[in-house]
């Protein structure tokens, strides 16, 4: 992680789950981190959990709103790395007859248009050896019933990553594709069956467990720090694509 020490990093989604784990890791290495999310309250809770160090700041913004994304980068100025782990999947896991277009729209906004806007407004502020890292997911490869919208949006995001890696070069653009990871997002996917759902998957996976947010933070840190990696989808899923 020596490569990202002292760098300036924006982590959209840094108030929860994988983004929060990454924020902790980057702060520990000495980086200057701005966490971004829509909810002021979640940002405050995360900052408190991280003990409000001087190298942490928080900005409330919705990455689906172009004016807010533009304003975010105006405030931040020049920087080294942009990461997004953002996803709004509330109400999006449904069988086809129950698919709600508004919920589907929020998935597209948080996981496709949001990243597109982050690249549009953030890339001009990035140093030439900087990077952008987005978050796809196993649903693109092992779709389950109820997961069609998320599967499709993850696949679209991966196409965007490859195109941006070419257009924005020498800035590097990558994505991590997590498998099932124990984070708050599971309350939207499995409700009160979260624990039994994750336990059942843990038994099936070659590694014998589901992921922890730190597993994904580790992979994103690699993508940020490795200067020879771009246009890559890094799968961190405990062997899920093999079962
Ligand atoms: N957990 C898993 O098993 C799993 C598996 C495969 C892929 N993934 C993907 O991994 C990523 C991280 O997931 P996670 O489990 O860490 O999720 P999480 O705990 O629910 O965190 C999501 C974060 O995104 C922020 N966010 C959502 N919509 C936003 C928007 N429009 N603008 C700005 N911030 C927004 C949330 O804050 P606010 O609500 O305050 O905006 C929150 O900080 C997601 O892209 C998810 O699809 C997760």
């Amino acid at each position: 992680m020596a490569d990202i020490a002292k760098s300036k990093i924006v982590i959209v989604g840094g108030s929860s789950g994988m983004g929060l784990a990454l924020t902790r890791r980057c702060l520990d290495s000495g980086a200057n981190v701005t966490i971004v999310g829509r909810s002021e309250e979640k940002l405050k809770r995360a900052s408190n959990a991280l003990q409000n160090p001087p190298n942490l700041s928080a900005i409330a913004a919705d990455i689906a709103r172009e004016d807010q994304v533009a304003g975010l980068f105006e405030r931040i100025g020049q920087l080294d790395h942009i990461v997004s782990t953002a996803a709004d999947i509330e109400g999006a896991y449904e069988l086809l007859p129950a698919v709600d277009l508004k919920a589907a729209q929020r998935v597209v906004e948080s996981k496709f248009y949001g990243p597109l806007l982050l690249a549009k407004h953030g890339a001009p502020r990035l140093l030439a050896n900087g990077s952008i890292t987005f978050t796809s997911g196993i649903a693109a490869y092992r779709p389950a019933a109820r997961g069609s919208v998320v599967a499709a949006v993850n696949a679209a995001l991966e196409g965007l990553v490859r195109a941006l890696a070419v257009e924005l070069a020498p800035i590097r653009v990558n994505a991590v594709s997590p498998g099932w990871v124990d984070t708050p997002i599971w309350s939207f996917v499995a409700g009160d069956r979260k624990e039994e759902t994750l336990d059942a998957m843990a038994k099936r996976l070659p590694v014998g467990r589901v992921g922890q947010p730190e597993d994904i933070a580790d992979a994103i840190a690699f993508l940020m720090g490795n200067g020879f990696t771009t246009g890559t989808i890094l799968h961190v899923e405990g062997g899920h694509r093999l079962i």
Side-chain angles (χ1 to χ4, degrees):
M1 189 78 175
D3 289 334
I4 66 168
K6 306 288 173 221
S7 52
K8 197 166 160 187
I9 305 170
V10 169
I11 303 177
V12 182
S15 62
S16 181
M18 302 171 196
L20 179 58
L22 178 67
T23 301
R24 184 173 281 115
R25 186 181 170 129
C26 293
L27 290 171
D28 287 350
S29 82
N32 197 301
V33 182
T34 302
I35 55 172
V36 178
R38 293 163 303 178
S39 156
E40 300 256 13
E41 196 194 314
K42 267 198 224 174
L43 289 167
K44 198 167 286 174
R45 230 183 297 140
S47 302
N48 288 340
L50 295 162
Q51 296 176 316
N52 298 300
N55 50 339
L56 173 67
S57 47
I59 297 179
D62 182 348
I63 57 166
R65 297 270 309 274
E66 185 156 11
D67 56 334
Q68 295 190 19
V69 176
L72 172 71
F73 288 110
E74 264 160 40
R75 279 180 69 180
I76 290 171
Q78 197 173 58
L79 77 165
D80 300 276
H81 302 285
I82 299 169
V83 177
S84 180
T85 62
D88 181 349
I89 64 160
E90 188 171 2
Y93 268 86
E94 291 292 352
L95 293 173
L96 216 44
V99 160
D100 169 23
L101 218 48
K102 285 213 168 65
Q105 188 68 37
R106 286 198 306 276
V107 182
V108 180
E109 286 175 349
S110 57
K111 294 206 68 163
F112 184 80
Y113 290 140
L116 187 68
L117 291 172
L118 288 171
K120 177 180 172 182
H121 294 279
R125 312 266 183 183
L126 279 173
L127 297 169
N129 61 353
S131 77
I132 300 177
T133 307
F134 295 135
T135 310
S136 175
I138 186 69
Y141 298 85
R142 286 291 177 277
R146 297 170 66 236
S148 54
V149 171
V150 176
V153 176
N154 283 339
L157 176 67
E158 294 187 6
L160 179 69
V161 162
R162 286 184 283 271
L164 291 178
V166 174
E167 182 171 336
L168 297 178
I171 291 166
R172 296 174 300 102
V173 185
N174 296 290
V176 65
S177 178
W180 289 22
V181 179
D182 188 355
T183 72
I185 211 170
W186 274 91
S187 55
F188 298 126
V189 185
D192 53 14
R193 296 188 59 232
K194 170 179 172 174
E195 210 178 308
E196 62 183 277
T197 306
L198 291 180
D199 282 352
M201 178 54 79
K203 291 193 179 83
R204 292 179 55 212
L205 287 173
V207 297
R209 66 173 179 89
V210 296
Q212 293 301 315
E214 291 73 20
D215 294 316
I216 309 306
D218 190 43
I220 297 175
F222 167 80
L223 292 172
M224 282 195 284
N226 187 291
F228 202 52
T229 305
T230 193
T232 288
I233 311 301
L234 179 53
H235 298 277
V236 186
E237 34 76 305
H240 196 149
R241 284 174 305 148
L242 303 174
I243 59 168

